[in-house]
Amino acid sequence: MTSTEQQIRALLGVPDDAANVLLLGMDAHMDWDWLNTFQTLVYTGNGYPQGSVQEIVQQAWNLMSQNQGPTAPYLYSVCEMGFLRAALETNPALLTQFQQDGLAQQLSIEGGGITSPDNLLPHGEAFVRNYLAGWAWQMATLGLPAVYVYMPDDFGHDAQLPVMLQAMGFPAISFSRMPGSWASSQITPLGGGPSLYDQIMAQGADFFWQAADGSSVLAHLEQHSYSQGNSLGNDCGNMPQAVAALAGMLQANQPSSPTPYVYLPCGNDFALPIPCLLDIATAWNNAQYSSTGTWAAVGTLQQYLEMVQAWSGANPGTLVSRAFDPTPYWTGFYASRPENKILHHATVRALLGAEVFGTIADLLQTADNLAWAPVQSARQQAVAQGWEALLPSTHHDYITGTAVDSVYTEEQVPLLAAAHTIATGARRTAIAEIAQVVAATPKVGETPVAVFNQLGFERGGLVEMPPPPGVTATSVRSDSSTGPVVTTAEGMLLFAASAESLGYETVYLSNAAASGGSVTYQVSAGGDSVILTNSLLQATLSQQQGWAVTSLQPIVNGQLQPDLVPSGQAANALTFYQDGGNLYNFGNEFAPNGLTVVTGTLTAGSARVMADRGLRVRVEASVAFDDGNGSSATYQVEYALHDGEPFLRMAITGAAPLPANPERGGTPYAVMVRFPFAANGSAATVDGVLRGTPYHWDDELPVPYWQGPTFQAAHHFVVPSAGGTVLGAIYHSDLPAWAIDGSGALIGCILRNTPASYPWPPAAEGRGANGVDFGVHRRAYALRVPQGLGLPPSSLGIFEESWGFATPLLAAAVNVPSAGVTASHPVTVQFPASFSLAAVTSGNALLTVAKEGQWNPEAVILRLYQPSNTSQAVDLSLAGYLHATGASTAQVLPVTALEQTIPGASALPVTNDAVSLTMPNALATLEITGS
């Protein structure tokens, strides 16, 4: 027996000769907002037998205070720091009790995030920040380290989740839902054979979960749900009955527990702590220990995982290591309530930009920051509050769109909209701080403009900005080129520019003549088709096909290539499905005919074409749908082709149809966009999909558990292939639900409205599955040609292009001092005309984060990502950082993504303003301080 096992057993009062230990773990799974709003849950709860958060915490504190013996104390666990913080702040006596009674020895933090997050849909950085923010509060308030992650209620899991977990420093995770487990849509795969759940149960519910990049964490499957033992609370007055019930639960769990330790979760949604749990353990030990050799103790999941890990280390090879995909479980929530997804991802992007530009502004203002201190403080506070407002949306009943209508309407969407406003405001503030004092050198008649790039790689593209007051422009000059400036139909200035990694570049607007831009268009004589062309592709849009794309031909060396759209078909075709599902599930998860194509009438109006002097052409049109049975809707279809881009941008705005007379029955709808593909001129059947994940990528198709399409949660990009041939790519910022339809085309679900009852919203909202979505949503995405497409593991190209698609370059006018400036009163603080905070100069990696340190505000935190799935040598330039700080060199220390010290990690040497590092896995985080 290892020393770790001995120490934990001694604390729990377990005899050394106990062959097995059954741990009874008590917690309360607290959903941020599902059936009620956050405040209601804190003060009132969902009603008996559940408790309010205040009641749960108070009773848990009392039980711990009353049971503090040297062995077998009452132990308790909490997962969601947002609720724990609310309980302690609304009832300060709880914090006093915690401190005075020394409850830190009895409380375990399960992960310590603000919420228990979904791990399929949130932005990868939001997933990390959920835990960073939770840790920041609880470490300052309670000082308890969290050593594992608890995700009991996620509706499926990302196969690459260990990438983020290991990067954050978590060695273990516990979860309870996977294909074939409790409450799955279907229990067995269509092709026969055991479900993933059955495979795990047969090989052991404790195993090592491996991601494609080599990241690995100890995983524990809670075999029969996270509430398996909660019914023991009903037996407090009948110990023999409690012992009998415990025997049944042990019998259910022990065969799949590959170590001497068995875990029994005793919590449930907002469950009050079981007051007699110690008595039940004692009754079991008195009645059953001598005959079973199994000792029961009230413990924590943390203790269980620590003992399993220690036992595994002493018995190498006994726990299975496996890579696997814990989807599909439920999949309809990928597309439900899309506004939550749209606002979540847009807010994260704005906050990341605010951090990058805020860090640059703070560093460059170091020499003269006293006057700037209030602005810096206000902006930093706005960023912090923006994350605070955003992070609840990571929850598995929030970004998923599975809350009841009232919570979605009165809390989720308004809160996210406000968070987005805060985030974009903070980013604008940081940009304004920089632009006002850039040391531009305009020529006579020129207006300087700073172009900002928040992404961690150099890039170019179109920039759109309001004209500075009194400024007109026809050209733009940079250090390397001159190009045209266009005033758009909306009165904005449009021009091409580039900027360095995590930085900005100054360009100069003037009324000089300029040429450039390759985008052209052609409208047919009858106005029923539009052809868009740039140097890399040609696309044909057809009114007869509802303004879908009937032809997309790549251009290579000036020559048109074979069409990517099969003859007689159309890409980006609006397709309407009868969807008999609910907020959680697509209809075909219940029955084969639960998700079927509806034949209706699609009527397209005339197209409006807006050309921007070869830089861009936009097409807008209205398309109406009517199924002839009371359901109708109107959609705005948009296209844009930019100069030099190998993809056609597109967007559709509208709402999913609702029946006109729902009380007489009607059709709940899912609205798809369909993309058939051709290869070498012939129709192709998509049989492979490579897609982005929250912080990595994956190319495994899910095992089908139901007939019809099985949707996957995709981030940033989707790459279909046929027989190993890449057919193209879809870029998107917030459209996660993609699948292959029965004809071998790629489909994406852009809208869903699947109410299960009438009237809407229903009087009895149930578990939230009866929700309705009246909202109008804009879904934006792009279709890329396959030529020149850089794919992982060898290339970062698809990450750079898709991230750039979702995060345009920004610009602001530069204030150039002239009148009143003399030699005796010079402007002493001027930012350089171009700046890059940090940049990868060698290696297949890019930067994803630049921010001030959570624990050390004087430090800058940089995060890097590399997709190779092998170890990667990376060189990183810190010249910009050193110039801004005036430091002669820097200390560079590898830390976890939660900015904690990595045991054994040493500072990396800085040579010639650069640092070299080896990235064994996909993510690495560095803490930079000047010296």
Side-chain angles (χ1 to χ4, degrees):
M1 187 185 304
T2 66
S3 60
T4 296
E5 294 172 90
Q6 289 176 331
Q7 290 170 4
I8 296 175
R9 282 177 173 233
L11 174 65
L12 301 177
V14 179
D16 289 340
D17 61 353
N20 299 290
V21 180
L22 173 62
L23 260 69
L24 312 181
M26 190 68 242
D27 66 4
H29 173 55
M30 294 185 278
D31 292 304
W32 180 275
D33 49 4
W34 173 36
L35 302 181
N36 280 295
T37 62
F38 180 77
Q39 181 165 312
T40 299
L41 293 168
V42 170
Y43 286 105
T44 307
N46 289 322
Y48 185 81
Q50 298 177 339
S52 70
V53 174
Q54 287 187 335
E55 291 173 326
I56 293 167
V57 175
Q58 182 68 76
Q59 291 190 28
W61 264 222
N62 290 345
L63 285 166
M64 288 190 289
S65 295
Q66 295 160 10
N67 297 275
Q68 293 188 303
T71 59
Y74 196 100
L75 303 180
Y76 191 77
S77 302
V78 178
C79 175
E80 302 87 358
M81 297 301 99
F83 276 118
L84 183 58
R85 177 178 59 188
L88 270 58
E89 289 180 351
T90 56
N91 184 5
L94 289 170
L95 181 57
T96 300
Q97 182 181 359
F98 179 87
Q99 295 168 337
Q100 290 182 348
D101 290 2
L103 301 185
Q105 302 301 315
Q106 294 165 266
L107 182 67
S108 173
I109 302 298
E110 298 177 321
I114 294 293
T115 74
S116 53
D118 174 76
N119 68 89
L120 287 168
L121 302 181
H123 192 289
E125 195 57 37
F127 184 90
V128 172
R129 302 303 180 90
N130 173 63
Y131 289 96
L132 182 59
W135 273 43
W137 172 80
Q138 79 87 9
M139 289 293 286
T141 307
L142 307 176
L144 297 176
V147 296
Y148 70 98
V149 165
Y150 183 48
M151 294 182 184
D153 203 19
D154 285 20
F155 317 139
H157 303 270
D158 172 26
Q160 306 305 321
L161 178 58
V163 169
M164 295 188 290
L165 298 182
Q166 181 172 296
M168 288 189 288
F170 288 118
I173 179 176
S174 178
F175 62 101
S176 70
R177 296 185 193 261
M178 64 166 53
S181 70
W182 65 286
S184 299
S185 296
Q186 300 293 332
I187 301 302
T188 55
L190 280 184
S195 68
L196 179 60
Y197 170 77
D198 288 337
Q199 295 173 44
I200 297 293
M201 292 290 282
Q203 294 185 343
D206 298 302
F207 57 96
F208 289 100
W209 182 356
Q210 292 186 328
D213 75 327
S215 297
S216 178
V217 293
L218 174 66
H220 170 67
L221 169 66
E222 295 190 345
Q223 295 102 312
H224 300 284
S225 89
Y226 62 86
S227 61
Q228 182 186 6
N230 192 240
S231 60
L232 291 172
N234 300 325
D235 300 327
C236 284
N238 189 334
M239 285 298 113
Q241 185 170 303
V243 169
L246 199 58
M249 296 173 191
L250 176 63
Q251 185 178 16
N253 289 8
Q254 197 158 35
S256 57
S257 299
T259 76
Y261 305 104
V262 181
Y263 185 72
L264 180 66
C266 297
N268 201 353
D269 293 358
F270 294 96
L272 292 165
I274 298 173
C276 66
L277 209 53
L278 287 170
D279 298 330
I280 292 174
T282 299
W284 169 272
N285 294 329
N286 290 337
Q288 297 290 330
Y289 172 60
S290 60
S291 60
T292 64
T294 297
W295 186 271
V298 176
T300 67
L301 186 54
Q302 175 177 335
Q303 292 170 327
Y304 172 79
L305 291 170
E306 288 177 339
M307 288 193 293
V308 168
Q309 193 163 32
W311 183 91
S312 173
N315 297 272
T318 52
L319 297 188
V320 173
S321 294
R322 61 183 304 152
F324 69 107
D325 183 4
T327 63
Y329 185 81
W330 299 332
T331 63
F333 68 89
Y334 300 170
S336 296
R337 304 273 178 65
E339 199 65 21
N340 284 354
K341 284 87 168 163
I342 294 168
L343 287 170
H344 169 91
H345 284 273
T347 303
V348 173
R349 293 192 297 272
L351 287 168
L352 292 174
E355 289 179 337
V356 169
F357 302 135
T359 298
I360 292 172
D362 289 349
L363 292 176
L364 289 174
Q365 286 162 355
T366 300
D368 185 31
N369 68 343
L370 289 180
W372 284 101
V375 173
Q376 293 174 347
S377 177
R379 172 178 33 78
Q380 292 162 0
Q381 183 72 5
V383 172
Q385 292 302 313
W387 282 114
E388 186 73 24
L390 175 280
L391 291 176
S393 68
T394 61
H395 181 250
H396 59 266
D397 279 310
Y398 195 151
I399 193 170
T400 57
T402 52
V404 295
D405 288 316
S406 56
V407 171
Y408 169 72
T409 302
E410 71 184 78
E411 181 165 283
Q412 291 182 343
V413 171
L415 194 155
L416 269 176
H420 184 250
T421 300
I422 293 168
T424 53
R427 184 169 59 183
R428 283 196 304 269
T429 299
I431 286 173
E433 288 180 67
I434 297 169
Q436 289 296 307
V437 286
V438 166
T441 55
K443 298 177 181 179
V444 175
E446 290 184 333
T447 298
V449 166
V451 175
F452 292 85
N453 173 26
Q454 70 179 63
L455 299 180
F457 49 89
E458 184 178 4
R459 66 188 179 111
L462 292 185
V463 180
E464 195 165 9
M465 64 175 290
V471 172
T472 60
T474 56
S475 72
V476 58
R477 176 180 66 85
S478 69
D479 288 342
S480 59
S481 65
T482 301
V485 175
V486 176
T487 300
T488 70
E490 297 82 10
M492 303 288 281
L493 297 184
L494 182 73
F495 55 90
S498 62
E500 297 181 70
S501 164
L502 303 178
Y504 63 87
E505 180 75 30
T506 302
V507 299
Y508 301 90
L509 308 181
S510 73
N511 285 317
S515 61
S518 66
V519 185
T520 63
Y521 73 95
Q522 180 180 348
V523 180
S524 65
D528 60 351
S529 70
V530 179
I531 299 176
L532 306 178
T533 308
N534 69 6
S535 61
L536 297 172
L537 65 86
Q538 178 174 285
T540 301
L541 316 177
S542 169
Q543 182 180 24
Q544 189 175 23
Q545 295 287 345
W547 292 114
V549 181
T550 53
S551 174
L552 183 68
Q553 293 181 264
I555 298 176
V556 178
N557 297 325
Q559 301 297 313
L560 288 171
Q561 303 300 302
D563 208 327
L564 300 180
V565 180
S567 177
Q569 298 192 55
N572 194 38
L574 277 168
T575 309
F576 298 82
Y577 282 73
Q578 180 179 2
D579 189 344
N582 53 44
L583 293 176
Y584 300 90
N585 313 92
F586 283 110
N588 62 319
E589 297 178 35
F590 301 125
N593 61 352
L595 188 68
T596 56
V597 175
V598 173
T599 301
T601 302
L602 208 60
T603 305
S606 299
R608 178 191 180 202
V609 181
M610 293 162 286
D612 295 318
R613 280 183 58 197
L615 293 180
R616 179 181 68 184
V617 174
R618 292 176 290 166
V619 180
E620 297 179 354
S622 178
V623 177
F625 169 78
D626 194 309
D627 69 356
N629 191 36
S631 292
S632 62
T634 301
Y635 302 92
Q636 183 77 7
V637 180
E638 306 169 48
Y639 292 95
L641 185 60
H642 290 198
D643 185 35
E645 286 188 345
F647 48 86
L648 177 64
R649 296 167 179 257
M650 50 194 70
I652 293 178
T653 303
L658 277 174
N661 298 297
E663 68 275 13
R664 298 205 304 254
T667 302
Y669 273 100
V671 183
M672 313 284 182
V673 284
R674 185 173 186 270
F675 290 87
F677 286 91
N680 300 316
S682 301
T685 298
V686 175
D687 58 14
V689 175
L690 184 151
R691 59 191 171 86
T693 68
Y695 236 134
H696 199 40
W697 60 277
D698 202 350
D699 60 1
E700 295 293 325
L701 289 176
V703 173
Y705 278 72
W706 47 77
Q707 294 183 17
T710 299
F711 286 83
Q712 292 182 279
H715 286 248
H716 311 303
F717 56 83
V718 181
V719 182
S721 60
T725 298
V726 173
L727 303 173
I730 305 288
Y731 294 160
H732 67 87
S733 56
D734 48 48
L735 183 57
W738 292 91
I740 304 170
D741 73 7
S743 300
L746 192 69
I747 54 174
C749 186
I750 60 172
L751 300 164
R752 289 188 79 223
N753 211 347
T754 53
S757 63
Y758 178 81
W760 304 315
E765 292 175 300
R767 64 171 184 163
N770 292 338
V772 67
D773 183 1
F774 293 106
V776 172
H777 311 288
R778 184 178 186 271
R779 311 312 303 271
Y781 42 98
L783 175 59
R784 194 204 191 280
V785 299
Q787 283 78 358
L789 181 60
L791 296 178
S794 61
S795 174
L796 288 162
I798 197 166
F799 292 95
E800 294 175 343
E801 285 186 353
S802 62
W803 293 5
F805 164 77
T807 313
L809 295 168
L810 301 173
V814 171
N815 175 38
V816 180
S818 54
V821 176
T822 67
S824 60
H825 294 88
V827 175
T828 58
V829 178
Q830 288 189 329
F831 294 179
S834 63
F835 185 80
S836 172
L837 180 64
V840 174
T841 57
S842 176
N844 191 34
L846 48 76
L847 289 153
T848 63
V849 168
K851 62 181 286 288
E852 76 169 25
Q854 179 68 53
W855 316 104
N856 177 13
E858 300 302 315
V860 170
I861 299 297
L862 299 178
R863 187 141 36 252
L864 296 102
Y865 168 75
Q866 63 96 355
S868 69
N869 287 338
T870 60
S871 184
Q872 185 75 199
V874 177
D875 293 332
L876 181 66
S877 171
L878 299 177
Y881 169 83
L882 293 170
H883 169 81
T885 59
S888 57
T889 188
Q891 176 174 285
V892 181
L893 184 66
V895 294
T896 72
L898 299 184
E899 303 173 31
Q900 302 292 299
T901 300
I902 298 175
S906 302
L908 302 175
V910 178
T911 305
N912 296 326
D913 297 345
V915 63
S916 298
L917 67 149
T918 300
M919 294 180 62
N921 304 107
L923 289 176
T925 303
L926 303 176
E927 181 185 77
I928 319 292
T929 52
S931 59

mmCIF file of all heavy atoms in Angstrom, residues 521-534:
data_model
loop_
_atom_site.group_PDB
_atom_site.id
_atom_site.type_symbol
_atom_site.label_atom_id
_atom_site.label_comp_id
_atom_site.label_asym_id
_atom_site.label_seq_id
_atom_site.Cartn_x
_atom_site.Cartn_y
_atom_site.Cartn_z
ATOM 1 N N TYR A 521 -17.804 41.108 -60.755
ATOM 2 C CA TYR A 521 -19.104 40.427 -60.726
ATOM 3 C C TYR A 521 -19.782 40.591 -62.075
ATOM 4 O O TYR A 521 -19.479 41.498 -62.857
ATOM 5 C CB TYR A 521 -19.988 40.965 -59.611
ATOM 6 C CG TYR A 521 -20.557 42.338 -59.866
ATOM 7 C CD1 TYR A 521 -21.835 42.501 -60.415
ATOM 8 C CD2 TYR A 521 -19.823 43.481 -59.574
ATOM 9 C CE1 TYR A 521 -22.352 43.764 -60.651
ATOM 10 C CE2 TYR A 521 -20.330 44.742 -59.805
ATOM 11 C CZ TYR A 521 -21.598 44.878 -60.347
ATOM 12 O OH TYR A 521 -22.112 46.129 -60.594
ATOM 13 N N GLN A 522 -20.716 39.679 -62.310
ATOM 14 C CA GLN A 522 -21.504 39.719 -63.540
ATOM 15 C C GLN A 522 -22.917 39.287 -63.213
ATOM 16 O O GLN A 522 -23.125 38.218 -62.615
ATOM 17 C CB GLN A 522 -20.893 38.796 -64.592
ATOM 18 C CG GLN A 522 -21.644 38.774 -65.914
ATOM 19 C CD GLN A 522 -20.993 37.838 -66.928
ATOM 20 O OE1 GLN A 522 -19.876 37.375 -66.723
ATOM 21 N NE2 GLN A 522 -21.699 37.549 -68.005
ATOM 22 N N VAL A 523 -23.893 40.118 -63.573
ATOM 23 C CA VAL A 523 -25.300 39.804 -63.356
ATOM 24 C C VAL A 523 -25.916 39.405 -64.689
ATOM 25 O O VAL A 523 -25.702 40.075 -65.715
ATOM 26 C CB VAL A 523 -26.050 41.018 -62.761
ATOM 27 C CG1 VAL A 523 -27.521 40.674 -62.527
ATOM 28 C CG2 VAL A 523 -25.398 41.471 -61.466
ATOM 29 N N SER A 524 -26.672 38.316 -64.693
ATOM 30 C CA SER A 524 -27.294 37.858 -65.929
ATOM 31 C C SER A 524 -28.314 38.872 -66.422
ATOM 32 O O SER A 524 -28.782 39.738 -65.674
ATOM 33 C CB SER A 524 -27.971 36.506 -65.710
ATOM 34 O OG SER A 524 -29.050 36.645 -64.796
ATOM 35 N N ALA A 525 -28.665 38.762 -67.683
ATOM 36 C CA ALA A 525 -29.591 39.715 -68.301
ATOM 37 C C ALA A 525 -30.912 39.783 -67.555
ATOM 38 O O ALA A 525 -31.498 40.859 -67.383
ATOM 39 C CB ALA A 525 -29.811 39.348 -69.763
ATOM 40 N N GLY A 526 -31.387 38.667 -67.087
ATOM 41 C CA GLY A 526 -32.663 38.655 -66.378
ATOM 42 C C GLY A 526 -32.516 38.885 -64.884
ATOM 43 O O GLY A 526 -33.512 38.895 -64.143
ATOM 44 N N GLY A 527 -31.271 39.033 -64.422
ATOM 45 C CA GLY A 527 -31.030 39.259 -63.003
ATOM 46 C C GLY A 527 -31.213 38.036 -62.143
ATOM 47 O O GLY A 527 -31.250 38.148 -60.907
ATOM 48 N N ASP A 528 -31.287 36.837 -62.771
ATOM 49 C CA ASP A 528 -31.561 35.634 -61.983
ATOM 50 C C ASP A 528 -30.303 34.858 -61.611
ATOM 51 O O ASP A 528 -30.399 33.778 -61.037
ATOM 52 C CB ASP A 528 -32.541 34.724 -62.729
ATOM 53 C CG ASP A 528 -32.006 34.281 -64.083
ATOM 54 O OD1 ASP A 528 -30.960 34.805 -64.516
ATOM 55 O OD2 ASP A 528 -32.649 33.415 -64.711
ATOM 56 N N SER A 529 -29.135 35.393 -61.940
ATOM 57 C CA SER A 529 -27.898 34.781 -61.483
ATOM 58 C C SER A 529 -26.827 35.852 -61.357
ATOM 59 O O SER A 529 -26.866 36.875 -62.051
ATOM 60 C CB SER A 529 -27.424 33.666 -62.426
ATOM 61 O OG SER A 529 -26.985 34.205 -63.651
ATOM 62 N N VAL A 530 -25.877 35.616 -60.471
ATOM 63 C CA VAL A 530 -24.755 36.528 -60.247
ATOM 64 C C VAL A 530 -23.488 35.688 -60.183
ATOM 65 O O VAL A 530 -23.450 34.665 -59.495
ATOM 66 C CB VAL A 530 -24.925 37.329 -58.945
ATOM 67 C CG1 VAL A 530 -23.717 38.245 -58.730
ATOM 68 C CG2 VAL A 530 -26.211 38.137 -58.954
ATOM 69 N N ILE A 531 -22.474 36.112 -60.914
ATOM 70 C CA ILE A 531 -21.182 35.441 -60.883
ATOM 71 C C ILE A 531 -20.182 36.355 -60.184
ATOM 72 O O ILE A 531 -20.022 37.518 -60.561
ATOM 73 C CB ILE A 531 -20.686 35.109 -62.305
ATOM 74 C CG1 ILE A 531 -21.666 34.160 -63.001
ATOM 75 C CG2 ILE A 531 -19.293 34.471 -62.250
ATOM 76 C CD1 ILE A 531 -21.295 33.863 -64.449
ATOM 77 N N LEU A 532 -19.522 35.827 -59.149
ATOM 78 C CA LEU A 532 -18.512 36.565 -58.395
ATOM 79 C C LEU A 532 -17.158 35.928 -58.667
ATOM 80 O O LEU A 532 -17.021 34.692 -58.620
ATOM 81 C CB LEU A 532 -18.810 36.512 -56.892
ATOM 82 C CG LEU A 532 -20.199 36.959 -56.439
ATOM 83 C CD1 LEU A 532 -20.338 36.789 -54.925
ATOM 84 C CD2 LEU A 532 -20.463 38.395 -56.842
ATOM 85 N N THR A 533 -16.144 36.760 -58.904
ATOM 86 C CA THR A 533 -14.821 36.238 -59.253
ATOM 87 C C THR A 533 -13.729 37.046 -58.561
ATOM 88 O O THR A 533 -13.795 38.276 -58.523
ATOM 89 C CB THR A 533 -14.589 36.298 -60.777
ATOM 90 O OG1 THR A 533 -15.680 35.678 -61.455
ATOM 91 C CG2 THR A 533 -13.286 35.599 -61.156
ATOM 92 N N ASN A 534 -12.762 36.359 -58.001
ATOM 93 C CA ASN A 534 -11.493 36.992 -57.606
ATOM 94 C C ASN A 534 -10.353 36.147 -58.173
ATOM 95 O O ASN A 534 -10.589 35.290 -59.034
ATOM 96 C CB ASN A 534 -11.399 37.208 -56.096
ATOM 97 C CG ASN A 534 -11.268 35.923 -55.294
ATOM 98 O OD1 ASN A 534 -11.134 34.825 -55.846
ATOM 99 N ND2 ASN A 534 -11.319 36.036 -53.981
#
